[in-house]
Amino acid sequence: MVLATKSTQKQGTPLAQPEPGLTPEQIIQRAIDLRPLLLDGQADAEERGTYSPEMHERFRKAGFYRILQPVMYGGYEFDLTVFSRVIVEIARGCPGSGWCLCLASGHAVNAAALFDKAGQDIIFGNDGEFAAPARGVPGGTATECDDGWIIDGTWDYCSGSPYSTHAIVGVRIAGPAKDGPPELGIAMVPRSGWEMIDNWRDFIGMRASGSNSIRIDKQWIPKALLVRQNFFAVNIDGGTEGYKLHGNSMYSGRMFGFFQAEITSILVGVGFAALDEFERIVGLRAGAPKLGPPMPGVPDFHRPYGVALGMLEMASNALAAGTRSYLDYCERGVKDPSAYTEFDDLRIQAGLQHAAHLSMDAVEILYSAAGTSTSAKNGSRLQRYYRDISMARTNPGLQFDKTAMQLAARRFPEGPQGPRP
């Protein structure tokens, strides 16, 4: 399998990395090492609606916001498999914090892929500090003016917004009325140009995800910060602006597979968080009394633990394979656009959706098996994880039946064939 690789030919002088020589293994270990602090801070993060400023600073110093960011702009340009591993570990410590970090830091890929050098010079600036929610549904308009664009609208569910430096939003391009659907665009708006609306914490779960709405009130941006593309159907034929600039095929991918890798990484982390808590509850950790065979009338903790562990192992392996497959298709696509189609992108998404559901099903098994007093009580971690997956199940990106219909429609564009009944 051929994976996306970094280019050895960059245009211009790269920004300095905070830690030259940082390795994927080191950055993954940093995420693992933060687990105790994340566990201790779960309740406060829920109340706050996001992780603390102190945790944000730890994430920043650890390099998490720069994992997928191009080397040219001070990032580490590690691949999607490394990013996924980090997010699994952060979500294992605090699911909402994992969601918030993932959907703020991951969109460095979109910034690097969609915008040309003039745009990326503005976006990453002189210090390479970048984080942004991405909301592709067009919640507002872009009106062209002599020297740029005027962006106006409100976008909901902007996960990762509390500590973000920018926001990436889908827009309808305003203009004279014409037949057919409106032209769409993708705008990059700096933090000074939008207001975060604190309207997220009343939901059942993922309360620490920072999935607030944002309001942009007739904000001007330069022309280089808008591209005339549909976020959900990016044209990658011939290579994106990002591939031409950075020479890394990871910046020439389709969107659905990538976005699903983000969400599935979080939910696999939630599954292992629930397994950790179940182990703690029933005393399976090293040094605790070992459980004997189940006795009549005594709850059987072995079976649900073993079933959930097997499901999570499968989900984790599927996630790793899915992220590698995404990178493989990116590499194929820059060589031959016909080798990486919308159908291929949906296949990756569908597989990763099922991996996420395996993990969520494992959480439900553990939640039910742990018993009412330990899992359903307010403040318990298992209750929090159950609420988190309940919230995630409502996410449009996890509706695998809809993806199945889209896959079939592309496979059989003329409708079902064969003999009629």
Side-chain angles (χ1 to χ4, degrees), residues 95-160:
S97 295
W99 192 293
C100 190
L101 173 66
C102 179
L103 273 72
S105 59
H107 301 133
V109 162
N110 308 116
L114 297 171
F115 296 88
D116 63 14
K117 186 176 186 301
Q120 293 190 42
D121 284 348
I122 298 170
I123 292 165
F124 294 111
N126 295 321
D127 57 10
E129 296 289 342
F130 176 82
R135 184 62 169 147
V137 176
T141 59
T143 303
E144 194 167 12
C145 57
D146 290 341
D147 56 351
W149 296 88
I150 303 298
I151 310 299
D152 187 66
T154 300
W155 287 261
D156 55 6
Y157 304 118
C158 291
S159 300

Short mmCIF file of all heavy atoms in Angstrom, two decimals, residues 95-160:
data_model
loop_
_atom_site.label_atom_id
_atom_site.label_comp_id
_atom_site.label_asym_id
_atom_site.label_seq_id
_atom_site.Cartn_x
_atom_site.Cartn_y
_atom_site.Cartn_z
N PRO A 95 -14.10 12.41 26.28
CA PRO A 95 -14.70 12.39 24.94
C PRO A 95 -15.01 13.77 24.37
O PRO A 95 -14.70 14.05 23.21
CB PRO A 95 -15.98 11.57 25.14
CG PRO A 95 -15.65 10.65 26.27
CD PRO A 95 -14.79 11.48 27.19
N GLY A 96 -15.62 14.64 25.17
CA GLY A 96 -15.96 15.96 24.66
C GLY A 96 -14.73 16.77 24.30
O GLY A 96 -14.71 17.48 23.29
N SER A 97 -13.68 16.65 25.11
CA SER A 97 -12.44 17.35 24.81
C SER A 97 -11.81 16.80 23.54
O SER A 97 -11.24 17.55 22.73
CB SER A 97 -11.46 17.22 25.98
OG SER A 97 -11.96 17.87 27.13
N GLY A 98 -11.91 15.48 23.34
CA GLY A 98 -11.40 14.88 22.12
C GLY A 98 -12.13 15.40 20.90
O GLY A 98 -11.52 15.69 19.86
N TRP A 99 -13.45 15.54 21.01
CA TRP A 99 -14.25 16.07 19.89
C TRP A 99 -13.84 17.50 19.59
O TRP A 99 -13.64 17.89 18.44
CB TRP A 99 -15.74 16.00 20.26
CG TRP A 99 -16.69 16.23 19.12
CD1 TRP A 99 -16.87 17.40 18.44
CD2 TRP A 99 -17.60 15.29 18.53
NE1 TRP A 99 -17.84 17.26 17.47
CE2 TRP A 99 -18.30 15.96 17.51
CE3 TRP A 99 -17.89 13.95 18.78
CZ2 TRP A 99 -19.28 15.33 16.73
CZ3 TRP A 99 -18.87 13.33 18.01
CH2 TRP A 99 -19.55 14.02 16.99
N CYS A 100 -13.70 18.31 20.64
CA CYS A 100 -13.36 19.72 20.46
C CYS A 100 -11.98 19.89 19.82
O CYS A 100 -11.81 20.65 18.88
CB CYS A 100 -13.41 20.43 21.82
SG CYS A 100 -13.29 22.23 21.73
N LEU A 101 -10.99 19.16 20.34
CA LEU A 101 -9.64 19.24 19.78
C LEU A 101 -9.61 18.75 18.35
O LEU A 101 -9.02 19.38 17.47
CB LEU A 101 -8.67 18.42 20.63
CG LEU A 101 -7.26 18.27 20.05
CD1 LEU A 101 -6.55 19.62 20.01
CD2 LEU A 101 -6.45 17.25 20.85
N CYS A 102 -10.26 17.61 18.09
CA CYS A 102 -10.22 17.01 16.77
C CYS A 102 -10.78 17.95 15.71
O CYS A 102 -10.17 18.16 14.66
CB CYS A 102 -11.02 15.71 16.78
SG CYS A 102 -11.09 14.85 15.19
N LEU A 103 -11.94 18.54 16.01
CA LEU A 103 -12.61 19.35 15.00
C LEU A 103 -12.13 20.79 14.97
O LEU A 103 -12.65 21.62 14.23
CB LEU A 103 -14.13 19.27 15.16
CG LEU A 103 -14.73 18.06 14.40
CD1 LEU A 103 -14.38 16.74 15.08
CD2 LEU A 103 -16.23 18.19 14.23
N ALA A 104 -11.12 21.10 15.78
CA ALA A 104 -10.41 22.37 15.65
C ALA A 104 -9.08 22.17 14.93
O ALA A 104 -8.72 22.95 14.06
CB ALA A 104 -10.18 23.00 17.02
N SER A 105 -8.37 21.10 15.28
CA SER A 105 -7.02 20.90 14.73
C SER A 105 -7.03 20.17 13.39
O SER A 105 -6.16 20.41 12.54
CB SER A 105 -6.17 20.10 15.72
OG SER A 105 -6.76 18.84 16.01
N GLY A 106 -8.01 19.29 13.17
CA GLY A 106 -8.01 18.47 11.96
C GLY A 106 -8.18 19.25 10.68
O GLY A 106 -7.72 18.82 9.61
N HIS A 107 -8.81 20.41 10.75
CA HIS A 107 -9.14 21.13 9.53
C HIS A 107 -7.97 21.92 8.96
O HIS A 107 -8.13 22.64 7.97
CB HIS A 107 -10.36 22.02 9.77
CG HIS A 107 -11.55 21.21 10.20
ND1 HIS A 107 -12.35 21.55 11.27
CD2 HIS A 107 -12.04 20.03 9.72
CE1 HIS A 107 -13.29 20.63 11.42
NE2 HIS A 107 -13.11 19.70 10.50
N ALA A 108 -6.79 21.72 9.56
CA ALA A 108 -5.57 22.19 8.88
C ALA A 108 -5.43 21.51 7.53
O ALA A 108 -4.87 22.09 6.59
CB ALA A 108 -4.35 21.90 9.75
N VAL A 109 -5.95 20.28 7.42
CA VAL A 109 -5.92 19.58 6.13
C VAL A 109 -6.73 20.35 5.09
O VAL A 109 -6.29 20.54 3.95
CB VAL A 109 -6.48 18.15 6.28
CG1 VAL A 109 -6.88 17.56 4.93
CG2 VAL A 109 -5.44 17.25 6.92
N ASN A 110 -7.92 20.81 5.46
CA ASN A 110 -8.76 21.54 4.52
C ASN A 110 -8.15 22.89 4.14
O ASN A 110 -8.20 23.29 2.98
CB ASN A 110 -10.15 21.75 5.12
CG ASN A 110 -10.76 20.46 5.62
OD1 ASN A 110 -10.99 20.31 6.81
ND2 ASN A 110 -10.98 19.50 4.74
N ALA A 111 -7.57 23.57 5.13
CA ALA A 111 -6.91 24.84 4.83
C ALA A 111 -5.75 24.63 3.86
O ALA A 111 -5.56 25.41 2.92
CB ALA A 111 -6.41 25.48 6.12
N ALA A 112 -4.99 23.56 4.09
CA ALA A 112 -3.82 23.29 3.24
C ALA A 112 -4.21 22.77 1.87
O ALA A 112 -3.46 22.93 0.90
CB ALA A 112 -2.90 22.28 3.93
N ALA A 113 -5.38 22.14 1.76
CA ALA A 113 -5.80 21.54 0.49
C ALA A 113 -6.49 22.52 -0.44
O ALA A 113 -6.28 22.50 -1.65
CB ALA A 113 -6.73 20.35 0.76
N LEU A 114 -7.33 23.40 0.12
CA LEU A 114 -8.27 24.16 -0.70
C LEU A 114 -7.76 25.52 -1.16
O LEU A 114 -8.16 26.01 -2.22
CB LEU A 114 -9.58 24.35 0.07
CG LEU A 114 -10.34 23.07 0.41
CD1 LEU A 114 -11.49 23.38 1.37
CD2 LEU A 114 -10.87 22.42 -0.85
N PHE A 115 -6.90 26.14 -0.37
CA PHE A 115 -6.52 27.52 -0.65
C PHE A 115 -5.15 27.57 -1.32
O PHE A 115 -4.28 26.73 -1.06
CB PHE A 115 -6.52 28.34 0.64
CG PHE A 115 -7.88 28.45 1.26
CD1 PHE A 115 -8.34 27.48 2.15
CD2 PHE A 115 -8.72 29.50 0.94
CE1 PHE A 115 -9.62 27.57 2.70
CE2 PHE A 115 -10.00 29.60 1.48
CZ PHE A 115 -10.44 28.63 2.37
N ASP A 116 -4.96 28.57 -2.19
CA ASP A 116 -3.68 28.70 -2.88
C ASP A 116 -2.65 29.32 -1.94
O ASP A 116 -2.93 29.62 -0.77
CB ASP A 116 -3.84 29.49 -4.18
CG ASP A 116 -4.30 30.93 -3.95
OD1 ASP A 116 -4.24 31.42 -2.80
OD2 ASP A 116 -4.72 31.57 -4.93
N LYS A 117 -1.45 29.53 -2.46
CA LYS A 117 -0.36 30.02 -1.61
C LYS A 117 -0.67 31.39 -1.02
O LYS A 117 -0.38 31.64 0.16
CB LYS A 117 0.95 30.08 -2.38
CG LYS A 117 2.15 30.44 -1.48
CD LYS A 117 3.46 30.40 -2.23
CE LYS A 117 4.62 30.60 -1.26
NZ LYS A 117 4.55 31.87 -0.52
N ALA A 118 -1.29 32.26 -1.81
CA ALA A 118 -1.63 33.58 -1.27
C ALA A 118 -2.57 33.45 -0.08
O ALA A 118 -2.41 34.13 0.94
CB ALA A 118 -2.27 34.43 -2.37
N GLY A 119 -3.54 32.55 -0.20
CA GLY A 119 -4.47 32.33 0.90
C GLY A 119 -3.80 31.71 2.11
O GLY A 119 -4.01 32.13 3.25
N GLN A 120 -2.96 30.70 1.88
CA GLN A 120 -2.31 30.02 3.00
C GLN A 120 -1.29 30.91 3.70
O GLN A 120 -1.09 30.80 4.91
CB GLN A 120 -1.68 28.72 2.51
CG GLN A 120 -2.72 27.69 2.09
CD GLN A 120 -2.14 26.31 1.82
OE1 GLN A 120 -1.29 25.83 2.57
NE2 GLN A 120 -2.61 25.67 0.76
N ASP A 121 -0.66 31.80 2.95
CA ASP A 121 0.25 32.77 3.60
C ASP A 121 -0.51 33.61 4.62
O ASP A 121 0.00 33.92 5.70
CB ASP A 121 0.89 33.68 2.55
CG ASP A 121 1.99 32.99 1.76
OD1 ASP A 121 2.42 31.89 2.16
OD2 ASP A 121 2.42 33.56 0.74
N ILE A 122 -1.75 33.99 4.26
CA ILE A 122 -2.57 34.78 5.19
C ILE A 122 -3.06 33.91 6.34
O ILE A 122 -3.00 34.31 7.51
CB ILE A 122 -3.78 35.39 4.44
CG1 ILE A 122 -3.31 36.34 3.34
CG2 ILE A 122 -4.70 36.12 5.42
CD1 ILE A 122 -4.43 36.78 2.40
N ILE A 123 -3.53 32.71 6.03
CA ILE A 123 -4.14 31.83 7.04
C ILE A 123 -3.14 31.46 8.13
O ILE A 123 -3.42 31.59 9.33
CB ILE A 123 -4.70 30.57 6.36
CG1 ILE A 123 -5.91 30.92 5.48
CG2 ILE A 123 -5.09 29.52 7.40
CD1 ILE A 123 -6.30 29.83 4.51
N PHE A 124 -1.99 30.98 7.74
CA PHE A 124 -1.02 30.49 8.72
C PHE A 124 -0.13 31.60 9.27
O PHE A 124 0.53 31.41 10.30
CB PHE A 124 -0.19 29.36 8.12
CG PHE A 124 -0.99 28.13 7.80
CD1 PHE A 124 -1.22 27.75 6.48
CD2 PHE A 124 -1.54 27.36 8.81
CE1 PHE A 124 -1.97 26.63 6.18
CE2 PHE A 124 -2.30 26.23 8.52
CZ PHE A 124 -2.51 25.86 7.20
N GLY A 125 -0.10 32.74 8.59
CA GLY A 125 0.57 33.92 9.11
C GLY A 125 2.05 33.73 9.33
O GLY A 125 2.71 32.92 8.67
N ASN A 126 2.57 34.47 10.30
CA ASN A 126 4.00 34.44 10.59
C ASN A 126 4.38 33.45 11.68
O ASN A 126 5.57 33.22 11.91
CB ASN A 126 4.47 35.85 11.00
CG ASN A 126 4.34 36.85 9.88
OD1 ASN A 126 4.59 36.53 8.72
ND2 ASN A 126 3.91 38.06 10.21
N ASP A 127 3.37 32.89 12.37
CA ASP A 127 3.69 31.99 13.48
C ASP A 127 3.12 30.59 13.33
O ASP A 127 3.42 29.70 14.13
CB ASP A 127 3.20 32.59 14.81
CG ASP A 127 1.70 32.89 14.81
OD1 ASP A 127 1.00 32.45 13.86
OD2 ASP A 127 1.23 33.55 15.75
N GLY A 128 2.28 30.36 12.31
CA GLY A 128 1.74 29.02 12.09
C GLY A 128 0.67 28.60 13.08
O GLY A 128 0.29 27.42 13.11
N GLU A 129 0.16 29.52 13.89
CA GLU A 129 -0.88 29.16 14.85
C GLU A 129 -2.22 29.07 14.10
O GLU A 129 -2.70 30.06 13.56
CB GLU A 129 -0.97 30.20 15.97
CG GLU A 129 0.27 30.29 16.84
CD GLU A 129 0.45 29.08 17.74
OE1 GLU A 129 -0.54 28.34 17.95
OE2 GLU A 129 1.57 28.87 18.24
N PHE A 130 -2.81 27.87 14.10
CA PHE A 130 -4.06 27.68 13.35
C PHE A 130 -4.92 26.62 14.01
O PHE A 130 -4.44 25.55 14.40
CB PHE A 130 -3.77 27.25 11.91
CG PHE A 130 -5.02 26.95 11.12
CD1 PHE A 130 -5.75 27.97 10.54
CD2 PHE A 130 -5.49 25.64 10.99
CE1 PHE A 130 -6.93 27.70 9.84
CE2 PHE A 130 -6.66 25.36 10.29
CZ PHE A 130 -7.37 26.40 9.71
N ALA A 131 -6.21 26.93 14.14
CA ALA A 131 -7.23 25.96 14.54
C ALA A 131 -8.55 26.52 14.03
O ALA A 131 -8.77 27.73 14.08
CB ALA A 131 -7.27 25.78 16.05
N ALA A 132 -9.43 25.65 13.55
CA ALA A 132 -10.68 26.15 12.98
C ALA A 132 -11.75 25.09 12.96
O ALA A 132 -11.50 23.95 12.54
CB ALA A 132 -10.45 26.64 11.55
N PRO A 133 -12.98 25.44 13.40
CA PRO A 133 -14.11 24.57 13.10
C PRO A 133 -14.40 24.65 11.61
O PRO A 133 -14.02 25.62 10.94
CB PRO A 133 -15.25 25.19 13.92
CG PRO A 133 -14.91 26.65 13.98
CD PRO A 133 -13.40 26.69 14.04
N ALA A 134 -15.08 23.64 11.09
CA ALA A 134 -15.49 23.65 9.68
C ALA A 134 -16.96 23.29 9.61
O ALA A 134 -17.36 22.21 10.07
CB ALA A 134 -14.66 22.68 8.86
N ARG A 135 -17.76 24.18 9.07
CA ARG A 135 -19.20 23.93 8.91
C ARG A 135 -19.53 24.12 7.44
O ARG A 135 -19.64 25.25 6.94
CB ARG A 135 -19.99 24.90 9.79
CG ARG A 135 -21.49 24.66 9.78
CD ARG A 135 -21.86 23.31 10.33
NE ARG A 135 -23.30 23.19 10.55
CZ ARG A 135 -23.99 22.07 10.41
NH1 ARG A 135 -23.36 20.95 10.03
NH2 ARG A 135 -25.29 22.03 10.65
N GLY A 136 -19.66 23.00 6.73
CA GLY A 136 -19.83 23.05 5.29
C GLY A 136 -21.20 23.45 4.83
O GLY A 136 -21.37 23.96 3.72
N VAL A 137 -22.23 23.22 5.67
CA VAL A 137 -23.59 23.61 5.29
C VAL A 137 -23.64 25.13 5.15
O VAL A 137 -23.27 25.85 6.08
CB VAL A 137 -24.60 23.14 6.34
CG1 VAL A 137 -26.00 23.62 6.00
CG2 VAL A 137 -24.56 21.62 6.47
N PRO A 138 -24.08 25.65 4.00
CA PRO A 138 -24.05 27.11 3.80
C PRO A 138 -25.05 27.83 4.69
O PRO A 138 -26.24 27.87 4.40
CB PRO A 138 -24.38 27.27 2.31
CG PRO A 138 -25.06 26.01 1.91
CD PRO A 138 -24.52 24.93 2.79
N GLY A 139 -24.55 28.41 5.77
CA GLY A 139 -25.41 29.13 6.71
C GLY A 139 -25.45 30.62 6.46
O GLY A 139 -26.00 31.37 7.27
N GLY A 140 -24.87 31.07 5.35
CA GLY A 140 -24.85 32.49 5.06
C GLY A 140 -24.38 32.73 3.64
O GLY A 140 -24.27 31.81 2.82
N THR A 141 -24.07 33.98 3.36
CA THR A 141 -23.74 34.39 1.99
C THR A 141 -22.36 35.01 1.91
O THR A 141 -21.79 35.48 2.91
CB THR A 141 -24.77 35.42 1.49
OG1 THR A 141 -24.75 36.56 2.37
CG2 THR A 141 -26.16 34.83 1.44
N ALA A 142 -21.84 35.02 0.69
CA ALA A 142 -20.61 35.74 0.36
C ALA A 142 -20.93 36.67 -0.80
O ALA A 142 -21.39 36.21 -1.86
CB ALA A 142 -19.50 34.77 -0.03
N THR A 143 -20.73 37.95 -0.59
CA THR A 143 -21.00 38.95 -1.63
C THR A 143 -19.68 39.55 -2.08
O THR A 143 -18.92 40.09 -1.26
CB THR A 143 -21.92 40.06 -1.09
OG1 THR A 143 -23.14 39.46 -0.60
CG2 THR A 143 -22.24 41.06 -2.18
N GLU A 144 -19.40 39.45 -3.36
CA GLU A 144 -18.12 39.92 -3.88
C GLU A 144 -18.10 41.45 -3.91
O GLU A 144 -19.08 42.11 -4.24
CB GLU A 144 -17.88 39.37 -5.28
CG GLU A 144 -16.45 39.54 -5.76
CD GLU A 144 -16.15 38.72 -7.01
OE1 GLU A 144 -17.11 38.19 -7.63
OE2 GLU A 144 -14.96 38.59 -7.35
N CYS A 145 -16.95 42.01 -3.52
CA CYS A 145 -16.73 43.45 -3.62
C CYS A 145 -15.40 43.67 -4.33
O CYS A 145 -14.72 42.72 -4.72
CB CYS A 145 -16.75 44.11 -2.24
SG CYS A 145 -15.57 43.43 -1.06
N ASP A 146 -15.01 44.92 -4.51
CA ASP A 146 -13.84 45.22 -5.33
C ASP A 146 -12.57 44.52 -4.83
O ASP A 146 -11.77 44.03 -5.62
CB ASP A 146 -13.60 46.73 -5.38
CG ASP A 146 -14.66 47.45 -6.19
OD1 ASP A 146 -15.34 46.77 -6.99
OD2 ASP A 146 -14.82 48.67 -6.02
N ASP A 147 -12.39 44.48 -3.52
CA ASP A 147 -11.13 43.98 -2.98
C ASP A 147 -11.29 42.72 -2.14
O ASP A 147 -10.39 42.35 -1.38
CB ASP A 147 -10.44 45.05 -2.14
CG ASP A 147 -11.34 45.57 -1.02
OD1 ASP A 147 -12.54 45.22 -1.00
OD2 ASP A 147 -10.83 46.30 -0.15
N GLY A 148 -12.44 42.04 -2.25
CA GLY A 148 -12.61 40.83 -1.46
C GLY A 148 -14.04 40.34 -1.44
O GLY A 148 -14.76 40.42 -2.44
N TRP A 149 -14.46 39.84 -0.26
CA TRP A 149 -15.79 39.28 -0.08
C TRP A 149 -16.38 39.77 1.24
O TRP A 149 -15.64 39.97 2.22
CB TRP A 149 -15.74 37.76 -0.04
CG TRP A 149 -15.26 37.12 -1.31
CD1 TRP A 149 -13.97 36.85 -1.67
CD2 TRP A 149 -16.08 36.68 -2.40
NE1 TRP A 149 -13.93 36.26 -2.91
CE2 TRP A 149 -15.22 36.13 -3.38
CE3 TRP A 149 -17.45 36.66 -2.64
CZ2 TRP A 149 -15.68 35.59 -4.57
CZ3 TRP A 149 -17.93 36.13 -3.82
CH2 TRP A 149 -17.05 35.60 -4.78
N ILE A 150 -17.69 39.93 1.27
CA ILE A 150 -18.40 40.24 2.50
C ILE A 150 -19.16 38.97 2.92
O ILE A 150 -20.02 38.48 2.19
CB ILE A 150 -19.39 41.40 2.33
CG1 ILE A 150 -18.66 42.65 1.82
CG2 ILE A 150 -20.12 41.68 3.64
CD1 ILE A 150 -17.60 43.18 2.77
N ILE A 151 -18.83 38.44 4.10
CA ILE A 151 -19.43 37.21 4.60
C ILE A 151 -20.46 37.57 5.66
O ILE A 151 -20.18 38.37 6.57
CB ILE A 151 -18.36 36.27 5.21
CG1 ILE A 151 -17.18 36.09 4.24
CG2 ILE A 151 -18.98 34.94 5.60
CD1 ILE A 151 -17.56 35.47 2.92
N ASP A 152 -21.65 36.97 5.55
CA ASP A 152 -22.72 37.29 6.49
C ASP A 152 -23.57 36.05 6.74
O ASP A 152 -24.00 35.37 5.80
CB ASP A 152 -23.60 38.41 5.91
CG ASP A 152 -24.62 38.91 6.91
OD1 ASP A 152 -24.21 39.50 7.93
OD2 ASP A 152 -25.83 38.71 6.69
N GLY A 153 -23.80 35.73 8.02
CA GLY A 153 -24.65 34.59 8.33
C GLY A 153 -24.38 34.02 9.70
O GLY A 153 -23.54 34.52 10.46
N THR A 154 -25.09 32.94 10.01
CA THR A 154 -24.92 32.22 11.28
C THR A 154 -24.77 30.74 10.96
O THR A 154 -25.55 30.18 10.20
CB THR A 154 -26.13 32.44 12.21
OG1 THR A 154 -26.26 33.84 12.48
CG2 THR A 154 -25.94 31.69 13.52
N TRP A 155 -23.78 30.11 11.56
CA TRP A 155 -23.48 28.70 11.32
C TRP A 155 -23.56 27.96 12.65
O TRP A 155 -22.89 28.34 13.62
CB TRP A 155 -22.09 28.55 10.71
CG TRP A 155 -22.01 28.99 9.28
CD1 TRP A 155 -22.04 28.19 8.18
CD2 TRP A 155 -21.89 30.33 8.79
NE1 TRP A 155 -21.95 28.94 7.03
CE2 TRP A 155 -21.87 30.27 7.38
CE3 TRP A 155 -21.82 31.59 9.40
CZ2 TRP A 155 -21.76 31.40 6.58
CZ3 TRP A 155 -21.72 32.72 8.61
CH2 TRP A 155 -21.69 32.62 7.21
N ASP A 156 -24.38 26.91 12.70
CA ASP A 156 -24.52 26.14 13.93
C ASP A 156 -23.52 24.98 13.96
O ASP A 156 -22.84 24.69 12.98
CB ASP A 156 -25.95 25.63 14.08
CG ASP A 156 -26.43 24.83 12.87
OD1 ASP A 156 -25.63 24.57 11.95
OD2 ASP A 156 -27.63 24.45 12.85
N TYR A 157 -23.41 24.36 15.12
CA TYR A 157 -22.58 23.16 15.32
C TYR A 157 -21.13 23.35 14.85
O TYR A 157 -20.57 22.49 14.17
CB TYR A 157 -23.20 21.95 14.61
CG TYR A 157 -24.62 21.68 15.06
CD1 TYR A 157 -25.68 21.74 14.16
CD2 TYR A 157 -24.91 21.38 16.39
CE1 TYR A 157 -26.99 21.51 14.56
CE2 TYR A 157 -26.21 21.15 16.81
CZ TYR A 157 -27.25 21.21 15.89
OH TYR A 157 -28.54 20.98 16.30
N CYS A 158 -20.54 24.46 15.25
CA CYS A 158 -19.14 24.72 14.89
C CYS A 158 -18.23 24.14 15.96
O CYS A 158 -17.62 24.86 16.77
CB CYS A 158 -18.92 26.22 14.71
SG CYS A 158 -19.75 26.89 13.25
N SER A 159 -18.13 22.82 15.97
CA SER A 159 -17.34 22.11 16.98
C SER A 159 -15.89 22.55 16.95
O SER A 159 -15.28 22.65 15.88
CB SER A 159 -17.43 20.61 16.75
OG SER A 159 -18.75 20.15 16.81
N GLY A 160 -15.34 22.80 18.13
CA GLY A 160 -13.95 23.22 18.23
C GLY A 160 -13.75 24.72 18.22
O GLY A 160 -12.62 25.20 18.22
#
